[in-house]
Every structure is written in C-alpha cells, then in structure tokens.
Amino acid sequence: MIMTLLNDDFLLGNDTAKTLFHDYAEKMPIIDFHCHLNPEEIYKNKNYPNITRIWLNEGTYGDHYKWRLMRANGVDEKYITGDGDEYKKFIEWAKTIENSYGNPLYEWTHLELRRFFHIDQELTEKSAPEIWKKANELLQKDDFKPRNLIKNSNVQVVCTTDDPASDLKYHKLLKQEEDQSGFKTLPAMRPDKLIQIDRDSFGEYLQTLSKVSGVEIQNFNDIIKAIHQRFEFFNEMGGRLSDHSLLTYHFKEASDGELNSIVNKGIQNQALSQDEIDQYLTMLLENLMKLNTEFNWTMQFHVNSNRDLNRPMFDKLGPDTGYDAVGTQPDIVTHLTKLFTKMQDTDNVPKTIFYSLNNNDWMQLATMMGCFQGGTVQKLQLGAGWWFNDTAEGMDDQLRIFAQESLLPHFVGMLTDSRSFLSYPRHEYFRRVLCNFYGKLVEQGRVPNNSEKLGRIVQDISYNNARNYFGFLD
C-alpha cells in the first residue's frame, strides 16, 4: 500500500508554513547538541546485521520508547529486551505500530523508513516480511554505517553524553579522523554518578574520579578540584556543555564542615538524610555553575522526572528500560529559582537550558528565566519538548510559551536526545512544527506575511542559533 499520509506537506497547515519549510528550513544542517549515541560505535563504524538491532536493541542500548509500546501491546518480554528471535521481535514491533495511530512513534517510524530506506509502505504485520528483507539488504551497504548515517543526515556536530571520569578514548580517536568523517563528535559532561551520593557505588566512583583527575579526594573541596580538572580536559576535547539530571530538587546550603561530614558518610556508604542529600546537591550545583561560567559552557538541567517505578523490572533490567514517568514535584522551579538567585550574587549564572518533563513547569521556568537574562543573547532558554513531550503538540506548546515569554527567534532549537543513529528525522519533524507555528501566526494576522524574514528566523532556530550559542565550530 502506497502511503498517502506523511506526505511532503504533513504537519504544514497553510501555504506560509509550506514555504517556510521547503524553501528555508528543510535543508539546513543539524547540530545535535544532546544525544546518547555511543562514541565507540561511531568510531568502530560497523554495519548493523538487521533492522531489529538498529531500531529496537541498538548496540549497547535499546529504545525504551518502543519497548513501552510493545509492553502495552501485550508482547512477551522475551521479544522486547530478552533473547527472543530478532525477526520475531521485528514482527512484534510491526504489530504494535499498527495500533499506534496518534502516537509520535508511528510518525517517526515511518519517517525513518522513508528517509533512510526509501520505503513508502505502512509497517504492518502483513508488510513486515517485505520491509525486513529490503531494510536488511540496505543495512549492509556503506551508506548505513553509523558515520555515514550521521553525515548523510547533514549533521555537523554530535554531542554525546559522557561521565566526567571518562578518558574519552573514542573521542580522541574520532578527533583524529574528523576531516574524513565530515562531522565533529564532541563530549558533553553528565556527572550523574557524582550527584548520586546516596548510591552504594559513590565511594568507589570517587576513587575512579581521583585516579583519572590526579586529585586525591578526601573532602568536598577535593571533589571540586577533581571536577575542575575534568572540565579542563573536556574543554580541550571540544566539550562545551554539561548536563544535569535532577529528578527532584530542594535548595539547601551547607557549611564546609557539614559538607565534609556528608561526603565522608557517602564514601563510607552510611545512611544519609534527605536534608544531607539536598545540602550536598545544592553545594555541588553551585560549584558546577561556577565551572560552567568559568569555561563559558552551557549548563543543561533535565528536571522533574520519576524514574524506575517498576522496581522488580528495574532490578532485572536496570535503568532506562521503559519504567519512567513524569515527575510531580510542584515546587521544583521555586527551589531552582533560589539556586539561581544565589548564583546571580556572584555573577555565576552560566548559559542555561531548562527541560522539565512536567509541562506544568514550563510557564514558571520561562518567566523565571527572564529574571536572569543579560550579557548573552538569550542566555537562558526553555529547552525543546522533552521525552514524553516530544510530540507535535508538545513542541507547539513549548514554542508558544517561549515566544510569549521571551524571544523565540533566538531559540537554539531541536536535539534528538536519542540512542539511535536513525533519529535525525526528529529534526525534520520539529522544523515542520516550527514552520507551522509561524504559519499560523501569519494566517491570524499576528506577524508580518514576510517569508524572507520569517525564513531567516526558522533557519536560525533550525541551525544558526545553536552554532553561534555553543561555539562548536569557532
């Protein structure tokens, strides 16, 4: 069956939107400033044996977006995360997709089939065998090696997500082959293990950080010295961003003596009160904000998520396997405001992008950010609709709030936040929503009907702003 949906003008609701997308936004390069691709897989550059491996169980990761839907469709876990036959897994995914009308995964799936494999068929249980055969044949070609999937998607920069203690081995190797690859692969620091002082592994992690940084860690100040050294190293490797996952957050400061006692308890794997955890996290974030300011990095905050709700399955499969939900801390922006107010006193508010999984926080974040702007164009930004909000409606809501409360033409735009080399059509999807957003404003008589001026704006949001804001290509 030849598809009539997802045609050239899907998501584009009027002539202005169509002009903005096709004449201005569509062919702009991509800067993917936040993703979870594995630099080792980029470097080794091996073909995937079949579409299940690249779509459902990619390399060292898996796609928990898809896994959630398959569970909802009653698929046995053997054919999701288990050792079931890979062809059978693909069939189960096809059966799931048949029931996913209205879910963004339906649209993303078929965009990826079209853009990478030139397959216009709808994926169904009936069409799955033919699609499996055609896709698998293409996957063995050079164009389907990871580096070519990135390059042929018109990507100029990929920022991976890296632990501060990483030696960035594969980034070093990729840096040597940058001209050959045709794009940059840069590290972005994500200190989750440093934040998680209440985990049993905290003391062991500090030993690793101590070894790689050359700083003997015995107290809180030593942690900051060690992380400063890692900022220097990442910066030399082209790193320009850090990323911080805060499921919840409560602002609570501590003295040096209190901090050292808390760190010692964490190292000894002793029980910590919630107040002690909050004190450690607050003082760590204050120092991380200072470091981001010192190195002129951008600090990303991913907040208000609720992780690993199905504890038996978490114990079996680990994190990022599809058992997370929207967080419900109602006052998280209040506590972030206290943090930023404190840091403004010493001029240590860095360039910042906020993402909240709970869209009820977006208006608070957008208005709070306006209190700390200055010195840099759109220094603080409301990030693209994240995770469960990564939908046409979520993107549109985020664009509307950003536009109403700040200066949307300065927005740095979309990111994949993905573990998949086939996720780049998400940038196309976002650009369509963006062009439709401005098209609606023109249709309502709210902005000038000037395609050239609006075209420059959508090109800036699609690519130019990210290039200028982050400075990757300077």
Side-chain angles (χ1 to χ4, degrees):
M1 161 180 148
I2 302 299
M3 295 179 65
T4 57
L5 71 163
L6 272 73
N7 60 28
D8 287 346
D9 293 330
F10 87 97
L11 292 175
L12 305 173
N14 57 60
D15 289 341
T16 299
K18 294 172 186 177
T19 297
L20 291 177
F21 179 72
H22 293 301
D23 292 356
Y24 294 95
E26 184 174 13
K27 299 193 185 314
M28 291 299 289
I30 290 171
I31 290 180
D32 195 23
F33 58 88
H34 176 68
C35 75
H36 297 274
L37 293 177
N38 186 337
E40 180 179 356
E41 291 176 22
I42 298 174
Y43 177 72
K44 292 185 174 178
N45 203 32
K46 295 181 179 178
N47 290 95
Y48 286 87
N50 58 58
I51 194 170
T52 294
R53 289 282 190 91
I54 198 168
W55 243 6
L56 299 171
N57 302 102
E58 183 163 357
T60 55
Y61 303 113
D63 192 333
H64 53 88
Y65 285 67
K66 294 186 177 78
W67 294 350
R68 286 170 67 94
L69 288 196
M70 293 173 78
R71 292 177 186 127
N73 207 43
V75 177
D76 191 299
E77 194 67 30
K78 176 180 181 180
Y79 298 110
I80 303 173
T81 61
D83 60 357
D85 177 77
E86 291 178 342
Y87 175 69
K88 176 65 173 175
K89 287 183 177 183
F90 180 72
I91 297 297
E92 292 297 335
W93 173 239
K95 290 160 65 176
T96 299
I97 275 293
E98 283 192 83
N99 290 289
S100 68
Y101 289 1
N103 190 294
L105 277 170
Y106 180 86
E107 296 159 63
W108 295 351
T109 293
H110 290 98
L111 269 182
E112 290 171 18
L113 284 174
R114 281 191 163 194
R115 299 298 178 256
F116 290 106
F117 300 97
H118 307 291
I119 293 174
D120 288 345
Q121 289 174 284
E122 182 182 12
L123 178 60
T124 65
E125 183 180 10
K126 183 177 180 180
S127 68
E130 182 181 351
I131 292 174
W132 168 267
K133 180 180 178 181
K134 182 174 181 179
N136 289 350
E137 289 173 355
L138 289 170
L139 281 168
Q140 305 317 306
K141 297 182 180 296
D142 282 346
D143 277 351
F144 285 81
K145 290 181 176 179
R147 294 196 210 180
N148 283 331
L149 289 172
I150 295 171
K151 181 180 178 181
N152 294 339
S153 296
N154 202 16
V155 178
Q156 289 190 352
V157 179
V158 173
C159 293
T160 58
T161 302
D162 305 275
D163 189 276
S166 171
D167 62 5
L168 302 183
K169 171 184 175 181
Y170 290 102
H171 285 91
K172 293 177 184 176
L173 294 169
L174 285 164
K175 192 176 182 67
Q176 296 170 10
E177 301 181 4
E178 222 166 67
D179 292 340
Q180 179 184 340
S181 296
F183 60 90
K184 290 177 178 281
T185 304
L186 303 177
M189 185 186 293
R190 176 132 163 178
D192 285 355
K193 294 179 182 177
L194 190 63
I195 285 173
Q196 296 163 347
I197 192 172
D198 56 333
R199 298 286 179 93
D200 293 348
S201 56
F202 181 73
E204 183 180 346
Y205 178 72
L206 289 189
Q207 291 178 13
T208 302
L209 182 61
S210 177
K211 183 177 180 180
V212 73
S213 67
V215 176
E216 184 179 355
I217 299 176
Q218 296 182 329
N219 55 42
F220 183 79
N221 283 335
D222 293 335
I223 291 175
I224 303 309
K225 290 177 185 175
I227 203 69
H228 187 280
Q229 191 280 332
R230 303 316 292 160
F231 265 78
E232 290 178 336
F233 174 57
F234 273 60
N235 197 64
E236 290 170 1
M237 292 299 300
R240 296 293 181 268
L241 297 98
S242 65
D243 180 35
H244 309 273
S245 176
L246 307 180
L247 311 188
T248 60
Y249 175 63
H250 301 91
F251 179 84
K252 191 173 182 64
E253 294 189 290
S255 67
D256 289 346
E258 288 172 319
L259 277 174
N260 290 336
S261 174
I262 292 167
V263 168
N264 185 61
K265 289 173 75 172
I267 291 172
Q268 300 298 324
N269 196 25
Q270 296 176 13
L272 291 163
S273 69
Q274 187 59 53
D275 277 351
E276 288 174 319
I277 294 170
D278 292 336
Q279 285 178 304
Y280 171 78
L281 180 54
T282 293
M283 301 312 291
L284 181 62
L285 287 174
E286 288 188 8
N287 281 276
L288 288 168
M289 289 178 74
K290 291 177 183 177
L291 287 168
N292 276 273
T293 301
E294 177 184 342
F295 286 88
N296 193 28
W297 284 17
T298 299
M299 194 169 186
Q300 298 178 98
F301 286 86
H302 286 85
V303 306
N304 218 352
S305 57
N306 202 350
R307 301 273 188 170
D308 309 318
L309 300 186
N310 188 329
R311 297 308 297 184
M313 291 305 290
F314 169 76
D315 292 340
K316 181 179 179 181
L317 299 176
D320 301 318
T321 50
Y323 298 102
D324 308 314
V326 172
T328 56
Q329 183 183 338
D331 60 350
I332 193 166
V333 181
T334 299
H335 288 276
L336 287 168
T337 302
K338 292 177 181 178
L339 174 66
F340 274 70
T341 299
K342 168 66 185 301
M343 300 312 294
Q344 185 66 48
D345 287 341
T346 55
D347 197 22
N348 276 301
V349 172
K351 291 183 291 185
T352 305
I353 305 175
F354 289 105
Y355 313 84
S356 177
L357 199 54
N358 191 325
N359 60 355
N360 292 319
D361 298 331
W362 290 359
M363 181 62 83
Q364 270 187 287
L365 284 169
T367 54
M368 179 270 270
M369 291 186 312
C371 302
F372 301 100
Q373 300 284 14
T376 300
V377 172
Q378 201 67 53
K379 183 177 180 180
L380 280 74
Q381 306 222 358
L382 180 66
W386 171 40
W387 200 344
F388 299 119
N389 298 302
D390 197 0
T391 65
E393 293 73 19
M395 292 175 188
D396 193 69
D397 285 346
Q398 182 269 344
L399 292 170
R400 173 181 54 80
I401 291 172
F402 199 136
Q404 291 173 351
E405 302 305 328
S406 201
L407 298 174
L408 183 61
H410 296 324
F411 180 36
V412 293
M414 189 57 177
L415 56 149
T416 62
D417 193 26
S418 175
R419 292 166 170 80
S420 173
F421 291 103
L422 297 182
S423 288
Y424 291 108
R426 294 185 191 181
H427 283 263
E428 174 191 337
Y429 194 92
F430 167 80
R431 292 173 184 183
R432 289 175 178 274
V433 173
L434 172 66
C435 292
N436 194 61
F437 174 81
Y438 276 117
K440 286 185 295 184
L441 294 183
V442 169
E443 197 172 54
Q444 294 166 4
R446 299 171 68 184
V447 300
N449 188 5
N450 184 332
S451 293
E452 184 177 348
K453 185 172 184 178
L454 290 172
R456 287 197 301 270
I457 289 173
V458 299
Q459 287 183 329
D460 286 345
I461 296 172
S462 297
Y463 168 76
N464 295 325
N465 291 342
R467 175 172 182 150
N468 295 334
Y469 185 82
F470 298 115
F472 297 131
L473 301 171
D474 292 345

